[in-house]
Amino acid sequence: MAKKNVSNDELLANIIKGIEEVKGNDIDILDLREIDNTVCDYFIICNGNSNTQVNAIVSSIQKIVSREVKDKPWHIEGTENGEWVLMDYVNIVVHVFQKHVREFYNIESLWGDARITSIATNY
C-alpha cells in the first residue's frame, strides 16, 4: 500500500467515519497537543455495547482509513477479548471500549488538561 502524507484532520475525520459506520457510541476527541510529554497529538475514545461491536468498530476504522487515506495502524492490541482495543496511528491513538470498561478506567480523567470535543451521534 502506497503511504501518502496524511494530515491529522483527514485521519481524524476518517476514524470518526469508521466509528459512526457501525454505530459506535460516546465519541470523544482529546486534543493533547498543548500538554507536555504526551505520546501523541490526539486520543479518540468511543465505546460499543459488546465485544462483537468493539471489534466491528476496529474493523470499520481499519477499512475506511485504508481505503480513504491509504494508511494503516502502526499497532493494534486488545482484539482477543474485545473489551478495550487500542489502535495506534502514531499521531492519533484510538481507544475502543465496552461501556463498562470505559467507565471503570475513565481515561478521560487522566488527561484533564486536554481539550475534549464530543461528537454527537444521531442513532
Side-chain angles (χ1 to χ4, degrees):
M1 171 181 328
K3 175 130 168 92
K4 67 176 188 177
N5 206 1
V6 179
S7 73
N8 280 346
D9 291 342
E10 191 176 6
L11 185 54
L12 276 168
N14 281 285
I15 291 169
I16 298 302
K17 183 178 175 183
I19 296 167
E20 291 176 335
E21 193 85 8
V22 289
K23 299 184 177 13
N25 300 307
D26 304 322
I27 305 167
D28 288 331
I29 301 170
L30 280 65
D31 185 342
L32 307 174
R33 293 175 296 177
E34 301 295 322
I35 302 173
D36 292 335
N37 303 319
T38 57
V39 296
C40 63
D41 292 340
Y42 296 96
F43 276 172
I44 298 178
I45 304 169
C46 69
N47 53 265
N49 297 318
S50 66
N51 59 343
T52 304
Q53 187 181 20
V54 165
N55 285 322
I57 292 168
V58 170
S59 294
S60 178
I61 292 169
Q62 283 183 282
K63 181 179 78 181
I64 288 173
V65 168
S66 175
R67 182 181 66 221
E68 299 295 329
V69 296
K70 309 290 188 263
D71 200 1
K72 61 181 180 180
W74 177 70
H75 184 71
I76 297 177
E77 59 184 71
T79 55
E80 307 79 37
N81 63 17
E83 290 188 347
W84 177 0
V85 178
L86 181 141
M87 304 176 75
D88 186 349
Y89 282 95
V90 183
N91 288 336
I92 300 172
V93 175
V94 184
H95 298 271
V96 185
F97 289 96
Q98 283 190 41
K99 187 174 178 67
H100 70 281
V101 176
R102 180 177 182 175
E103 290 169 353
F104 179 81
Y105 286 104
N106 191 19
I107 65 172
E108 292 94 333
S109 69
L110 297 174
W111 299 96
D113 293 344
R115 189 165 31 105
I116 299 176
T117 304
S118 296
I119 306 293
T121 53
N122 298 322
Y123 37 80

